[in-house]
Amino acid sequence: MAGYIGRSMSVNAAAAHTEGRKPVSSITKEDIQKYGVNVSITFFRWFVKKYCDSNEWHHTSSKYNETWFYDVKDCCSYFLKQDIEKLKKVYKSQLASKHVVYTDDTPYYALVKYSISTYSGGRKHIEAYAIVHRCWAYIKDDYRNEIIKKKINGKHFNIAESYQSRPEKMSEDVAMAIYEMISKITGKPS
């Protein structure tokens, strides 16, 4: 590492900024308008996260986070080659699915992926088996040795696979403990 500028970013991260490469959160409306893109910045940032690749990261913040940087010009060029109306439909459907009211009372098994903040300021990525009920995933947290629940439409949460029956890799004891917790919450026997 070439050093740090103040407490916000490394020298290499600052150099990347001046060369037009930025983290998604730093891309502005003015940045994309320079390259002929005239859509909401929220929509464009979603596009970058979902469809653009980055092979460059730099240290940022006083916690030395590893932050991915994207070439704004390349992302804009790639965006302009897409069917924008089709992309908007996908974007809107994903936004709508984040705000669905869950009324189905039938729990199901799932393989979930989520991340949590670490004490150093980074993120730890976790893959685990869970039971999903309504808008919650109930997961055995091995670190705390307890069952936790995560909102399934949360920012750092994804259901990778769903199952009709308990996956072999999920112990029966864990499944029973989760079902007991769900019945206490809902007041209905599982």
Side-chain angles (χ1 to χ4, degrees), residues 68-132:
W68 290 101
F69 279 58
Y70 296 84
D71 187 301
V72 177
K73 183 179 179 181
D74 289 350
C75 292
C76 287
S77 175
Y78 185 56
F79 179 81
L80 291 171
K81 293 176 185 172
Q82 307 304 310
D83 180 339
I84 307 300
E85 292 309 311
K86 210 183 252 187
L87 279 175
K88 283 182 179 178
K89 286 179 184 174
V90 172
Y91 174 67
K92 286 178 182 176
S93 73
Q94 288 186 1
L95 279 183
S97 70
K98 291 281 187 184
H99 303 287
V100 169
V101 175
Y102 298 90
T103 56
D104 186 9
D105 264 348
T106 309
Y108 62 91
Y109 296 95
L111 174 65
V112 298
K113 296 179 181 185
Y114 62 98
S115 64
I116 56 172
S117 296
T118 62
Y119 293 114
S120 64
R123 296 205 70 78
K124 179 179 179 182
H125 298 277
I126 300 167
E127 185 175 278
Y129 289 97
I131 296 176
V132 178

Side-chain angles (χ1 to χ4, degrees), residues 14-177:
H17 268 272
T18 60
E19 295 166 3
R21 295 182 309 280
K22 296 182 172 186
V24 172
S25 61
S26 296
I27 298 173
T28 65
K29 182 86 168 167
E30 293 77 29
D31 291 333
I32 64 175
Q33 285 177 334
K34 280 193 294 193
Y35 301 109
V37 175
N38 195 19
V39 295
S40 79
I41 194 63
T42 309
F43 174 53
F44 185 77
R45 287 176 179 168
W46 167 83
F47 171 80
V48 171
K49 284 189 239 178
K50 188 156 181 74
Y51 296 103
C52 295
D53 292 325
S54 173
N55 58 1
E56 176 180 351
W57 63 266
H58 298 286
H59 287 109
T60 58
S61 89
S62 60
K63 306 267 189 206
Y64 307 108
N65 293 339
E66 294 176 2
T67 304
W68 290 101
F69 279 58
Y70 296 84
D71 187 301
V72 177
K73 183 179 179 181
D74 289 350
C75 292
C76 287
S77 175
Y78 185 56
F79 179 81
L80 291 171
K81 293 176 185 172
Q82 307 304 310
D83 180 339
I84 307 300
E85 292 309 311
K86 210 183 252 187
L87 279 175
K88 283 182 179 178
K89 286 179 184 174
V90 172
Y91 174 67
K92 286 178 182 176
S93 73
Q94 288 186 1
L95 279 183
S97 70
K98 291 281 187 184
H99 303 287
V100 169
V101 175
Y102 298 90
T103 56
D104 186 9
D105 264 348
T106 309
Y108 62 91
Y109 296 95
L111 174 65
V112 298
K113 296 179 181 185
Y114 62 98
S115 64
I116 56 172
S117 296
T118 62
Y119 293 114
S120 64
R123 296 205 70 78
K124 179 179 179 182
H125 298 277
I126 300 167
E127 185 175 278
Y129 289 97
I131 296 176
V132 178
H133 181 252
R134 292 193 172 197
C135 60
W136 296 99
Y138 296 85
I139 306 155
K140 171 76 164 50
D141 183 336
D142 292 329
Y143 180 72
R144 291 180 266 190
N145 198 28
E146 62 184 28
I147 295 168
I148 61 169
K149 64 182 194 173
K150 300 290 256 173
K151 197 94 161 151
I152 64 172
N153 59 2
K155 185 175 180 182
H156 300 284
F157 190 90
N158 183 26
I159 296 176
E161 296 176 21
S162 58
Y163 310 96
Q164 296 295 331
S165 58
R166 181 178 55 83
E168 285 183 23
K169 292 183 180 179
M170 181 183 205
S171 82
E172 190 173 344
D173 292 343
V174 168
M176 292 305 296

